[in-house]
Amino acid sequence: MTSLLRTIGFSDGPDGGLGIAMSALSGVAAALAVAIMLSVYFRTGHRSRRDVVRHGLAACAVFVLLAFVIVDLRQAAQAYLGLNPAKPAVEFEIRLPKGTLTTAADTQIELLTDRNQKLAKVQEALSATDDGRSILRGTVTLDYRTTDRVMLLNLPGQAQSTFRVRLPASPTRSIGFGPWHLADGIVPASGSTVSTEIHDTFAIRYRVL
């Protein structure tokens, strides 16, 4: 059956639909089994107590099969759509140069993927490092299974920084923050430039909740 579906045009990839097609066929087979069983049961004449118990056990087994098929179909559909049912959240810290920001108001941090765009929830209070640099903190959920994730930092009237989020498509929970990663790109505000020293002070670290 798998070979036949591949011949028709389904593939094993996350966007190929082979998994959801197989789950759908399993559901059809289970439904036919239920229909046949009910048809035979209701056309049978007198049924002893033993027959009733036996048919009841068979019906329970069929319903368990149907429940399994429904769960399998749901998981296959989520995988086909790239959805992450667990929706893990990423808590991040972005380190800024000295004097870059005094308040988090109007600061926008956005998670960009190949499937969606989502604004992060930024804490209003700023933290500070030992050398006086400000740290922005926030969280954002990972709604889709993908490794193509970029965090975009927009500072009011200043440079726009991008940070690649180095996580697997379905990340597991992490106890502590990972290492600091420097910005992968900085676009300066109109009429200004970004020196190497300033570029190297933008950094991000994160953990999965």
Side-chain angles (χ1 to χ4, degrees):
M1 182 60 69
T2 302
S3 301
L4 177 60
L5 290 175
R6 289 198 185 99
T7 303
I8 294 174
F10 292 99
S11 67
D12 294 327
D15 297 326
L18 180 59
I20 194 171
M22 291 296 295
S23 297
L25 289 176
S26 299
V28 172
L32 287 175
V34 173
I36 293 172
M37 185 196 72
L38 292 177
S39 177
V40 172
Y41 182 77
F42 286 113
R43 289 188 180 185
T44 304
H46 174 72
R47 288 179 289 273
S48 65
R49 183 177 300 178
R50 182 180 178 181
D51 292 334
V52 172
V53 172
R54 185 176 57 195
H55 294 158
L57 293 176
C60 290
V62 170
F63 288 137
V64 170
L65 174 62
L66 284 176
F68 174 78
V69 169
I70 291 172
V71 173
D72 183 61
L73 184 60
R74 179 174 179 269
Q75 293 177 346
Q78 289 175 338
Y80 177 72
L81 297 174
L83 295 174
N84 196 341
K87 288 190 178 181
V90 169
E91 182 181 13
F92 58 86
E93 293 183 342
I94 298 180
R95 189 178 62 198
L96 308 174
K98 292 182 181 180
T100 302
L101 198 64
T102 57
T103 176
D106 299 328
T107 299
Q108 179 178 291
I109 301 177
E110 188 175 6
L111 177 66
L112 307 177
T113 76
D114 57 341
R115 293 182 177 270
N116 73 326
Q117 301 177 6
K118 187 159 190 177
L119 289 176
K121 183 178 180 181
V122 182
Q123 296 182 8
E124 293 184 4
L126 295 176
S127 301
T129 61
D130 295 335
D131 57 0
R133 285 181 288 180
S134 299
I135 293 181
L136 277 170
R137 290 182 175 177
T139 57
V140 64
T141 57
L142 306 178
D143 298 333
Y144 289 87
R145 297 175 181 174
T146 178
T147 57
D148 186 4
R149 301 187 182 104
V150 175
M151 202 81 76
L152 180 64
L153 168 64
N154 287 303
L155 298 175
Q158 301 186 47
Q160 182 185 78
S161 306
T162 57
F163 306 88
R164 188 166 65 88
V165 181
R166 297 167 174 84
L167 289 174
S170 298
T172 56
R173 181 178 179 181
S174 51
I175 299 176
F177 285 96
W180 289 102
H181 297 286
L182 296 179
D184 293 281
I186 296 181
V187 178
S190 178
S192 63
T193 59
V194 177
S195 65
T196 303
E197 182 180 359
I198 293 179
H199 178 278
D200 293 343
T201 56
F202 282 93
I204 190 174
R205 67 176 184 175
Y206 39 81
R207 64 173 178 167
V208 180
L209 301 177

